[in-house]
Amino acid sequence: MTTISDPHVPTVSAEPIEPQLLGRDASRSRLAVVVGVGLTLFAVLNATAAIYLYRGISDLRTVEGRLEELGAFEQRIVARLDMVNNGFQSRFEKLDSQLQGNFNEINGNIARLQQNPSSARDADVSGAPEPVVTTSTVAEASPDTEVAAGPAIADTPRPPKRRVAAAPPGPNPAYQRTETPDGKVYYRKIN
């Protein structure tokens, strides 16, 4: 191989350009200090995480206890609402039976009045003075004409006026009626 050398260019030496900063013993001690500081920092972080984890678990147990109390509270509220609902339900049933009894009584009275119209008129007339009804026929009015005297119009009894009972009000559309197989009726409000 051929080497071209120029006498004016300085020669390159094989020595390191940077001098060695530390000695071998000093670098080992510094490495031990860095590792020790790292392990200490890691231990502090672990201890901090353990403390926060313990606090979180403690808070979670407290919340679970409150949720159990809330469940018991909910059961008490549901029991009271059922009691109130049953009270209202029994009142509705009592009112319903009273209304049915009243309607049956009215229907019975109407049926009796239809079967015995004369007794009803007698009951109405007994309390009031009897009106005097004068009847005249065409034959009595003019004796010269020969017209057969028929029954007077006022003599025929008038049929009693029927009062049409107002139909009971329809069901309220805001409530839904539910009947159970054992005969109980429940009303539930529709939103």
Side-chain angles (χ1 to χ4, degrees):
M1 192 159 110
T2 322
T3 314
I4 302 174
S5 63
D6 188 6
H8 301 292
V9 174
T11 59
V12 178
S13 66
E15 296 179 16
I17 297 176
E18 293 183 18
Q20 198 173 20
L21 295 176
L22 297 175
R24 202 170 212 192
D25 293 332
S27 67
R28 282 186 187 170
S29 64
R30 285 203 176 183
L31 180 63
V33 169
V34 170
V35 170
V37 168
L39 288 176
T40 305
L41 183 62
F42 183 70
V44 168
L45 287 176
N46 274 341
T48 306
I51 290 171
Y52 280 111
L53 183 62
Y54 177 75
R55 285 183 183 173
I57 290 173
S58 174
D59 290 343
L60 184 62
R61 287 182 184 152
T62 305
V63 169
E64 284 178 354
R66 287 185 181 177
L67 285 177
E68 287 176 6
E69 291 173 6
L70 185 62
F73 176 73
E74 180 183 3
Q75 289 175 353
R76 287 193 310 254
I77 292 293
V78 166
R80 286 188 183 175
L81 285 177
D82 286 343
M83 183 177 68
V84 169
N85 187 22
N86 289 337
F88 279 125
Q89 192 64 37
S90 65
R91 287 184 183 177
F92 279 134
E93 288 173 0
K94 186 186 290 184
L95 287 175
D96 187 40
S97 65
Q98 288 177 352
L99 283 175
Q100 288 298 325
N102 290 343
F103 283 136
N104 290 338
E105 182 181 335
I106 290 171
N107 288 337
N109 290 340
I110 290 174
R112 257 186 287 145
L113 288 175
Q114 288 176 349
Q115 290 175 357
N116 300 325
S118 61
S119 66
R121 263 187 274 122
D122 291 340
D124 290 339
V125 173
S126 66
E130 282 193 39
V132 179
V133 178
T134 57
T135 60
S136 64
T137 61
V138 178
E140 293 174 356
S142 63
D144 297 338
T145 58
E146 296 181 13
V147 176
I153 295 175
D155 290 340
T156 59
R158 289 186 179 174
K161 290 183 179 179
R162 287 189 180 177
R163 292 184 183 174
V164 178
N172 190 342
Y175 291 91
Q176 178 185 12
R177 183 175 191 260
T178 306
E179 188 169 344
T180 59
D182 60 349
K184 289 187 177 180
V185 178
Y186 294 96
Y187 293 92
R188 186 183 74 171
K189 186 165 185 160
I190 300 171
N191 291 334

